[in-house]
Amino acid sequence: MTNTNIGESRGFYKLSWLQRIGFGSGDLAQNLIFQTTCMYLLFFYTDIYGLDAVDVSVMFTVGNVANVIWDPIVGALIDKNNPRLGKYRAYLVFVGIPLSGFAILCFWNGFAPSLLYAYMTYIAMTLLYTFINVPYGALNSSLTRDTDEITILTSVRMFMANCGGLAVGSGLPLLIAYFTNDKAEGLPKDPQAWFITMTIYALVGLLLLLFCFSQCKEKVVMSAEESANVKISDLWMEFFHNRPLRVIAFFFITAFAMMSIGNAAGAYFINSNMHGSPEQLSIFMGLGSAPSFIFMPLVPMIKKAVGKKNMFYIFLTVAIIGMTILYIVAKMDNPSMTYVYIAQFIKSTGVIVATGYMWALVPEVISYGEYVSGKRIAGIVNALTGIFFKAGMTLGSVVAPAILAYVAYNPKEVTQTPLAEEGILWLVCVLPAALLLLAIFIISKYELTDEKIDQINKEIESRNI
């Protein structure tokens, strides 16, 4: 199998559908872990493992601060080295195995409620996740420079990432319910059922990482001589000299804070505000990913019709409308689950397209940095985006449990106080909508059009002839 077709320009490679799917399977694999921690780890720690919400908030903060230090080290390491199995793809194998193991251990109740055990497993899992996520992100820009191809590649990637989100959001409650005899109202709290379910998800994820490794062939990477000159300090130089990178960095902070807050509150919303069943939680969380199957394949066409900036404006606004409807429906005396599902679908449509396509901007800012500095430091750029999306995750991981503590959420009670229900609604609707308004302002400052980035890539390739 070859990456190139006759007549295509150097660096502007076309990929087969098997290669596109293979690359996307890496994000599907990571989301089986990432989305599980986003959607359910806070719930697991407070309602099953037995930790206080404030202790969880502090632990999540410590983990994300550790990653701020860890990200640039990982970025420089992968840019500087050239493993025999591939500059970026090798880590899918080397790190995938321990990542899967620690993801399983995070959902083991054997030492509950030991805060030390929770810290050890959670922080190890997050550091290992970074060690896969950064090189995987860099792998995107190593496959081709072609902006149309990157749009298709990103659409496939996000389609498959949302398959992972659907498997977690919709499938996890059903699997937990399947593996337990606990018939209590809401999401079952049987520790063994949670552990078995996470084991299945982690092992499937590992197999998908191996498939991704087998299908990705790196074509656009630094030479060994250029790699030897990479330093951790390049990260800060890149940030200060690459304005488009700064724009998407702040967009990442805002987007991931929004997703972190909203995803973490989903289980609480259905359990406490709606008094829903595991099946209803499965539908609600599944609708957080379902629109990707309709809209992500259409992204190349939508972008071509309205332009990438307008696409962001349109879908971010759609998400805000969905959150507004969800809030209004939830405040009704007898809220209809059908209306809740409709609002969730509208909200998720906007979120999925906007936050999915933002990953297509990363190869653009990598090329822009290469054009300015002469270094294609894809690992370091992805480390920077990693720092900022973890900054957003940190905001979310602090805000959600802090608000739950402030409104006196009681995990032992089925019916919460009106204040606690309002706090959960703010986490699901109000705060995410405010962050999306900020995201619209941030993305308005992004300056790299498709025409401009294509010209930049052509000039870079002409230097290398």
Side-chain angles (χ1 to χ4, degrees):
M1 185 184 302
T2 178
N3 285 43
T4 60
N5 297 321
I6 297 173
E8 68 183 4
S9 302
R10 173 185 169 89
F12 291 76
Y13 304 110
K14 300 295 181 182
L15 308 178
S16 70
W17 274 102
L18 183 60
Q19 289 170 312
R20 293 166 181 162
I21 293 169
F23 174 73
S25 68
D27 217 340
L28 168 55
Q30 291 175 78
N31 271 280
L32 293 179
I33 294 173
F34 177 73
Q35 292 291 353
T36 302
T37 59
C38 286
M39 294 181 188
Y40 297 111
L41 190 56
L42 174 60
F43 184 87
F44 175 84
Y45 278 146
T46 58
D47 286 43
I48 298 161
Y49 193 81
L51 294 179
D52 182 77
V54 174
D55 288 337
V56 179
S57 174
V58 173
M59 181 174 67
F60 285 172
T61 303
V62 170
N64 283 303
V65 169
N67 268 289
V68 170
I69 301 170
W70 182 235
D71 272 81
I73 296 172
V74 171
L77 179 68
I78 65 173
D79 272 337
K80 196 172 187 66
N81 291 282
N82 294 282
R84 182 175 60 84
L85 295 180
K87 187 173 185 67
Y88 304 120
R89 71 192 189 111
Y91 300 95
L92 302 177
V93 179
F94 297 154
V95 186
I97 296 172
L99 172 64
S100 300
F102 275 98
I104 293 169
L105 291 175
C106 279
F107 285 86
W108 185 50
N109 205 46
F111 290 107
S114 168
L115 189 58
L116 175 62
Y117 176 81
Y119 263 88
M120 290 173 59
T121 52
Y122 172 73
I123 291 177
M125 186 271 293
T126 60
L127 295 179
L128 288 167
Y129 177 78
T130 293
F131 218 145
I132 279 213
N133 187 254
V134 170
Y136 176 77
L139 188 59
N140 187 356
S141 63
S142 75
L143 303 178
T144 183
R145 294 184 184 275
D146 190 300
T147 54
D148 289 335
E149 187 63 47
I150 286 173
T151 297
I152 296 172
L153 194 63
T154 302
S155 299
V156 173
R157 172 188 178 181
M158 289 299 105
F159 180 92
M160 298 189 69
N162 281 284
C163 287
L166 181 62
V168 172
S170 184
L172 187 139
L174 297 179
L175 268 183
I176 292 172
Y178 176 80
F179 287 119
T180 185
N181 294 320
D182 180 3
K183 302 303 180 184
E185 182 179 335
L187 187 60
K189 299 182 181 181
D190 180 350
Q192 184 178 8
W194 281 77
F195 179 74
I196 293 171
T197 300
M198 191 62 219
T199 300
I200 293 171
Y201 276 53
L203 292 178
V204 171
L206 177 58
L207 293 175
L208 288 165
L209 287 174
L210 296 177
F211 176 63
C212 178
F213 165 82
S214 72
Q215 296 303 315
C216 293
K217 309 299 180 187
E218 299 158 355
K219 290 285 190 177
V220 187
V221 294
M222 285 189 292
S223 66
E225 294 77 16
E226 292 171 324
S227 297
N229 294 323
V230 172
K231 305 179 292 295
I232 292 179
S233 60
D234 288 338
L235 182 146
W236 309 114
M237 295 299 293
E238 187 71 18
F239 181 71
F240 288 118
H241 291 118
N242 192 329
R243 186 177 183 277
L245 173 59
R246 293 197 300 275
V247 172
I248 70 164
F250 289 113
F251 187 83
F252 269 54
I253 289 179
T254 309
F256 275 93
M258 176 273 301
M259 288 188 286
S260 177
I261 292 170
N263 288 341
Y268 296 98
F269 173 69
I270 296 297
N271 265 25
S272 300
N273 293 55
M274 301 301 299
H275 303 288
S277 65
E279 290 76 18
Q280 289 172 325
L281 175 60
S282 171
I283 295 170
F284 180 81
M285 298 300 252
L287 286 170
S289 300
S292 67
F293 305 116
I294 301 171
F295 292 99
M296 287 313 297
L298 301 177
V299 164
M301 182 180 68
I302 296 171
K303 191 196 82 166
K304 188 170 290 187
V306 302
K308 60 188 169 192
K309 265 195 180 181
N310 286 331
M311 186 169 69
F312 277 114
Y313 298 152
I314 291 168
F315 284 95
L316 290 171
T317 301
V318 167
I320 293 170
I321 292 170
M323 291 169 187
T324 303
I325 297 172
L326 186 60
Y327 183 88
I328 293 170
V329 170
K331 295 293 285 183
M332 293 178 177
D333 291 336
N334 294 297
S336 163
M337 284 300 300
T338 299
Y339 292 153
V340 167
Y341 295 152
I342 292 170
Q344 173 74 341
F345 182 85
I346 294 170
K347 179 202 82 173
S348 301
T349 297
V351 170
I352 282 170
V353 175
T355 61
Y357 186 73
M358 70 184 179
W359 293 100
L361 305 183
V362 177
E364 296 183 2
V365 300
I366 290 171
S367 291
Y368 180 84
E370 183 183 11
Y371 177 72
V372 172
S373 68
K375 291 183 179 180
R376 191 171 180 82
I377 45 178
I380 282 179
V381 169
N382 276 276
L384 268 170
T385 58
I387 288 173
F388 283 94
F389 94 63
K390 288 184 180 71
M393 294 293 294
T394 300
L395 285 173
S397 64
V398 170
V399 168
I403 287 182
L404 289 175
Y406 177 76
V407 299
Y409 169 79
N410 187 346
K412 296 179 181 179
E413 296 292 335
V414 174
T415 301
Q416 300 294 322
T417 65
L419 177 62
E421 290 186 2
E422 183 67 21
I424 291 169
L425 262 184
W426 272 66
L427 291 175
V428 173
C429 306
V430 180
L431 293 179
L435 288 168
L436 288 180
L437 286 171
L438 178 59
I440 290 173
F441 171 76
I442 292 170
I443 204 64
S444 71
K445 304 300 179 183
Y446 188 74
E447 62 195 53
L448 293 179
T449 63
D450 285 348
E451 294 74 20
K452 186 172 183 177
I453 200 65
D454 282 343
Q455 185 59 39
I456 284 172
N457 278 318
K458 287 174 184 176
E459 290 189 27
I460 293 170
E461 285 298 336
S462 68
R463 297 173 186 172
N464 298 327
I465 295 176

